[in-house]
C-alpha cells in the first residue's frame, strides 16, 4: 500500500466515482450540503482566500432562470437533477482577507488592490475550491455532474447582479440514476504528464 | 453520519491535513508520486481534458533554477523540501482530446480552436486537477505546501521553453517537520458562502 488513504475511500472519491448524467428522484438535503461544505472548507488556497460562492437552485423559478442559460446539451439534465449548484468566484474576496488571514491582514492591500490580479486569483483559487467541493459531493455518497457548457455572462447577470462574481461551473448533484454515465474515457499516462529535472 | 467517507479519511484529507512550511528529511519516492497520480488522474474535468503537467524538481541544479524565481518568503522552504513539484497547465492540451475523448473527438476543433479559449480552459481545468493532486498528496500520507508566490513568467520560460505552458502552483511535498504550520486560520461560514434560490 503506497497510499495511506484506505481503498474504499479511494474508490468513493476517485476510482469508482463518475460524472453522472442521470439521477434518481432522491432529494439532496441542506444538511448534506452543509456537511460537504464543513468538510471541504478546509482545502488549502493561497492566503487562505475563499472566493467560492455556492448558489443552490431549489425553486422551480430558479431552475428555469438557470436552464435558459445552459447549453442545449445540458438543459435536460440540469432540469431533472435533484439539486443543482452554481459555483462562482467572488472577485471581491479580498474584503474578507483581514478576518480570514489574521496573522497577515495587510495581504489584502499588498497583493489584491488591482482588480485584474484579484480576478485571476479568484478564478484559480475558486477552481481549487470547486474541485474540493466536487470531492466533497462524492464524500457524501452522492454523484456530481459538473458542467461548463453555458452562457457564462448570462448566468453572471442572472444570479449575481453586483457584477463581481464569475461562474466557474454548474454542478448537478444526486444519487445516480439509470445509465448514469458513459464508459470511462482514457487518462494520460504518468509518463505523459510527469517529467523530472 | 451525513457523509459516506469515513472519519479517518476526512481527517487525512481535510480536517487534520495542513499546509506544511517545514518538512522532515524523509525522501518522497517516484513510486509515491506515481501512486498519487494514478489515483487523482480520475478526477473530473470538462471534456476529459487533462492540461495538468507536473515537473518533479529532484536535481540540485533544477532546484537552483526554480528557487531563483520564487518569492523571497518562499525560497528557504522551497530549497529545503524533500520534493518540489511544479504544476503547470499545457495550453495545447486540445491536441490530446481526440484520444482522450473518443466518443466526441470533434470537441477539439469545435470548442478549442482559439488560443484564448484554450488558455482559459487550461487554467480552470488545470486548477481542478491541481486541487485533486493536493488531495492526492494527502492521500499518500504526505503534507503539501502549495505556493503561488513566484515570478510566473520566469518559471514558464525556465521550465517550459515551448511557450505553451502556464505555471499554476509550486508544491513542496514531504512529511511535516518541526513547527510545520501556523495555527489554522478561520473559514467562512456556510451562511456566508451558500445561498438558495
Amino acid at each position: 500500500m503506497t497510499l495511506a488513504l484506505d481503498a474504499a475511500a479511494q474508490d468513493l472519491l476517485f476510482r469508482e466515482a463518475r460524472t453522472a448524467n442521470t439521477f434518481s428522484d432522491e432529494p439532496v438535503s441542506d444538511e448534506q450540503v452543509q456537511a460537504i461544505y464543513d468538510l471541504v472548507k478546509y482545502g488549502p488556497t493561497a492566503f487562505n482566500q475563499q472566493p467560492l460562492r455556492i448558489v443552490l437552485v431549489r425553486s422551480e423559478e430558479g431552475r428555469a432562470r438557470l436552464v435558459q442559460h445552459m447549453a442545449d446539451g445540458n438543459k435536460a439534465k440540469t432540469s431533472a437533477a435533484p439539486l443543482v449548484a452554481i459555483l462562482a468566484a467572488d472577485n471581491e474576496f479580498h474584503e474578507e482577507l483581514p478576518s480570514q488571514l489574521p496573522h497577515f491582514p495587510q495581504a489584502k492591500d499588498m497583493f489584491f488592490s488591482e482588480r485584474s490580479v484579484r480576478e485571476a486569483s479568484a478564478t484559480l483559487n475558486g477552481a481549487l475550491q470547486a474541485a474540493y467541493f466536487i470531492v466533497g459531493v462524492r464524500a457524501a455518497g452522492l454523484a456530481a455532474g459538473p458542467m461548463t457548457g453555458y452562457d457564462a455572462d448570462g448566468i453572471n447577470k442572472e444570479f449575481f447582479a453586483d457584477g463581481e462574481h464569475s461562474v466557474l461551473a454548474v454542478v448537478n448533484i444526486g444519487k445516480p440514476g439509470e445509465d448514469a454515465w458513459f464508459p470511462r474515457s482514457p487518462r494520460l499516462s504518468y509518463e505523459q504528464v510527469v517529467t523530472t529535472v
Side-chain angles (χ1 to χ4, degrees), chain A:
Chain A
M1 281 291 289
T2 309
L3 296 178
L5 187 70
D6 63 274
Q10 292 178 35
D11 289 345
L12 181 70
L13 301 182
F14 289 104
R15 291 194 203 282
E16 294 186 357
R18 299 294 315 281
T19 289
N21 295 303
T22 72
F23 296 90
S24 79
D25 291 336
E26 198 177 318
V28 177
S29 69
D30 286 343
E31 290 65 31
Q32 286 173 294
V33 181
Q34 178 136 18
I36 292 165
Y37 179 72
D38 284 340
L39 178 69
V40 302
K41 69 183 180 186
Y42 294 116
T45 61
F47 296 107
N48 196 35
Q49 67 190 271
Q50 296 160 65
L52 183 69
R53 297 294 177 271
I54 302 169
V55 180
L56 302 179
V57 182
R58 290 207 177 274
S59 66
E60 273 190 50
E61 183 226 348
R63 188 84 65 138
R65 287 170 56 204
L66 174 60
V67 168
Q68 65 179 329
H69 299 292
M70 300 302 294
D72 286 344
N74 288 331
K75 283 183 196 289
K77 57 187 172 185
T78 306
S79 299
L83 180 62
V84 185
I86 303 170
L87 306 187
D90 180 351
N91 295 307
E92 299 296 295
F93 69 88
H94 67 310
E95 296 293 348
E96 284 140 3
L97 277 187
S99 69
Q100 299 303 302
L101 198 69
H103 65 281
F104 186 36
Q106 57 271 42
K108 176 192 166 192
D109 297 315
M110 276 182 67
F111 296 108
F112 299 110
S113 55
E114 277 182 48
R115 168 68 187 233
S116 63
V117 172
R118 280 206 300 281
E119 200 167 314
S121 189
T123 298
L124 179 69
N125 288 280
L128 295 177
Q129 291 190 286
Y132 302 142
F133 181 80
I134 291 167
V135 171
V137 168
R138 292 166 164 195
L142 298 167
M147 301 170 287
T148 54
Y150 44 64
D151 171 3
D153 287 341
I155 290 180
N156 292 343
K157 284 182 189 137
E158 185 79 40
F159 291 96
F160 307 102
D162 66 357
E164 307 294 359
H165 294 70
S166 305
V167 62
L168 296 166
V170 174
V171 186
N172 294 325
I173 303 172
K175 293 276 188 187
E178 286 184 25
D179 297 321
W181 36 69
F182 301 112
R184 180 163 246 162
S185 292
R187 294 298 191 274
L188 298 179
S189 70
Y190 182 78
E191 290 71 22
Q192 288 173 291
V193 169
V194 181
T195 54
T196 301
V197 297

